[in-house]
Structure formats: structure tokens, C-alpha cells
Amino acid sequence: MNIERQVEIFNKQAGKYYKRAKQKNMDFRLRSKLLQSATGNILELSVGAGMNFQFYPTLSRITAVDFSPKMLDQARIVAAEQGRQVDFRLGNVEEIALPEKNYDTVISSLSLCSYPHPDKVLTQMASWCKEDGKILLYEHGISTNSFVAWLQHKTNSFYMKRVGCHMNRDILKLVEESPLSIVKSEHYMLHTVHLIWAKPVT
Ligand SMILES: C[S@@+](CC[C@H](N)C(=O)[O-])C[C@H]1O[C@@H](n2cnc3c(N)ncnc32)[C@H](O)[C@@H]1O
């Protein structure tokens, strides 16, 4: 799928993401658990409607990237509601130029599923993060349960066309093969959902 089509798909979902940002469900609890580790100068990739801003320390410096103008519109509303100063960047995470070794915390939630080259993005994350910084990932992917995995493979192309994301990526393998070192990880919902606390390999 080309990038223009993917942007269209995410633009259409922006309102739905804004509503989700208000819900206190399992997704909220997982984000809260992971993102309480966020500190300092924060880089959030594929920010969507800004669902994570509420978990950052009040005075954080936040840079937020997304290629969907409509998602960024929603995220700007959320930032204003919370009194957050955010440097928003419209761009493709796979191509954007950001300063190296600059961020104390680099964050990605539910976005490694969407990139054509997630390995490239993980490499970039490691390069943008300070050597003593943190990389926090909340991602979904292929289950360790064979029936669920089969269903995920079967429905993958449908989900890609409808919501712009892959259901069957092996997130742990991708991270293990990247220049990130996993400090801690937790897994939920038959291993389809992962919280990962990592750092760049130095
Ligand atoms: C499933 S949503 C998750 C949004 C947000 N991170 C969250 O946790 O709610 C995926 C987001 O990634 C963005 N995205 C996908 N591929 C991208 C790319 N190559 N560059 C920039 N943003 C991208 C989409 O526009 C969308 O906002």
C-alpha cells in the first residue's frame, strides 16, 4: 500500500482516536503503566490523537510526529485541553530528520504495525535516543497461541486495507533484532500485546 492511501485511512480514523483518548479501559491502564517511566525531553512517534500526553510529567518537552494531518489536528486539541506545549511535526517517521542522541525518552504506541519497514524505524529510534535514555514501546502483534495466530494471518490483509495496520508482526523478534536492548517486557492477551522498556545498544 502506498503512503498516500495509508494517510487517507488514518485521517478517516482520527475522530475515533480522539474519543478513545477519553476512555479509562485496559488500554488506558497499559499506557499508564508503561509511560510513567517517561521523563525529560520526549519524542513520540506516530502520536495519533495524543492519547499518551496525559501520562507525561507536566513540564516535559514533547516532540510529536505523525503523517496524518487529521490525527495531528486531534492531538493539538488534546494538547491544548491539557495545557501541554508540544512541537508537532507532520511527516513520515521512516523519512523524517530528527537530531541524533537528543531525546531522554522515545515512545511508540501501536504504530510498529503500520510502517512498511519497522526495522528501519527501530534503528532510527535507537539513534534519536540519548545513550542513557529510554525507549518505551506499547505494541501489538502475532500471538503465541496457534489458533489466534492463524486468525491473525487470515485477517491481516483485511486489517491492512481497512485500518492501515498489520496484525501478524512478530514484535519481540523485531525488537530483539534491532539496535535496542530490552530492559523489561510484559505481555498480555495471549501475547498479542507487549509493553517493552528498552534502551539503545551502546
Ligand atoms: C494505530 S494508530 C496509533 C496512534 C497512537 N500512537 C496511539 O497509541 O493512539 C497509528 C498512527 O501511526 C501513524 N502513522 C502510521 N504510519 C506512519 C508513518 N510512516 N509516519 C508517520 N505516522 C505514521 C498514523 O497516522 C496513526 O496516527
Side-chain angles (χ1 to χ4, degrees):
M1 179 182 297
N2 65 38
I3 286 286
E4 291 74 21
R5 176 72 194 121
Q6 228 185 346
V7 171
E8 261 176 49
I9 291 173
F10 282 114
N11 273 338
K12 280 195 197 133
Q13 297 177 70
K16 193 174 79 184
Y17 274 85
Y18 176 74
K19 282 189 201 130
R20 269 195 214 163
K22 311 276 169 189
Q23 292 165 4
K24 299 253 159 75
N25 49 19
M26 182 176 172
D27 174 75
F28 175 94
R29 288 193 293 280
L30 292 178
R31 288 174 195 267
S32 165
K33 183 167 198 189
L34 178 76
L35 298 173
Q36 56 184 268
S37 303
T39 52
N41 188 10
I42 294 173
L43 171 64
E44 183 170 349
L45 301 177
S46 298
V47 64
M51 284 175 81
N52 295 332
F53 295 159
Q54 61 193 314
F55 303 110
Y56 301 154
T58 323
L59 295 176
S60 316
R61 279 174 60 196
I62 307 169
T63 302
V65 182
D66 206 289
F67 66 7
S68 156
K70 299 276 184 210
M71 285 286 190
L72 286 185
D73 287 348
Q74 300 297 337
R76 282 194 185 90
I77 295 171
V78 171
E81 286 171 353
Q82 295 175 16
R84 302 278 178 167
Q85 296 297 319
V86 181
D87 176 5
F88 287 105
R89 310 277 182 96
L90 176 67
N92 181 349
V93 164
E94 292 200 348
E95 288 170 4
I96 198 162
L98 292 166
E100 305 240 322
K101 299 192 191 318
N102 187 52
Y103 300 96
D104 299 291
T105 315
V106 179
I107 292 163
S108 157
S109 62
L110 308 181
S111 64
L112 284 177
C113 53
S114 343
Y115 308 124
H117 308 102
D119 51 339
K120 184 173 160 186
V121 176
L122 285 164
T123 302
Q124 292 288 65
M125 290 176 91
S127 76
W128 292 325
C129 188
K130 287 182 183 169
E131 279 178 12
D132 60 351
K134 297 167 223 170
I135 299 170
L136 305 177
L137 307 173
Y138 165 38
E139 300 292 347
H140 72 88
I142 194 80
S143 178
T144 46
N145 175 290
S146 53
F147 176 67
V148 177
W150 176 82
L151 267 182
Q152 288 175 301
H153 286 306
K154 281 276 173 211
T155 53
N156 191 55
S157 65
F158 169 81
Y159 274 100
M160 191 58 201
K161 280 186 206 126
R162 287 292 295 274
V163 292
C165 85
H166 293 275
M167 299 301 289
N168 60 355
R169 287 202 166 149
D170 189 336
I171 297 297
L172 282 182
K173 187 162 181 274
L174 273 168
V175 176
E176 280 160 8
E177 290 174 354
S178 78
L180 267 65
S181 161
I182 297 179
V183 176
K184 182 173 116 176
S185 62
E186 294 181 5
H187 316 282
Y188 300 88
M189 298 171 74
L190 298 172
H191 243 260
T192 55
V193 174
H194 311 278
L195 297 185
I196 300 173
W197 291 257
K199 58 183 186 179
V201 173
T202 47

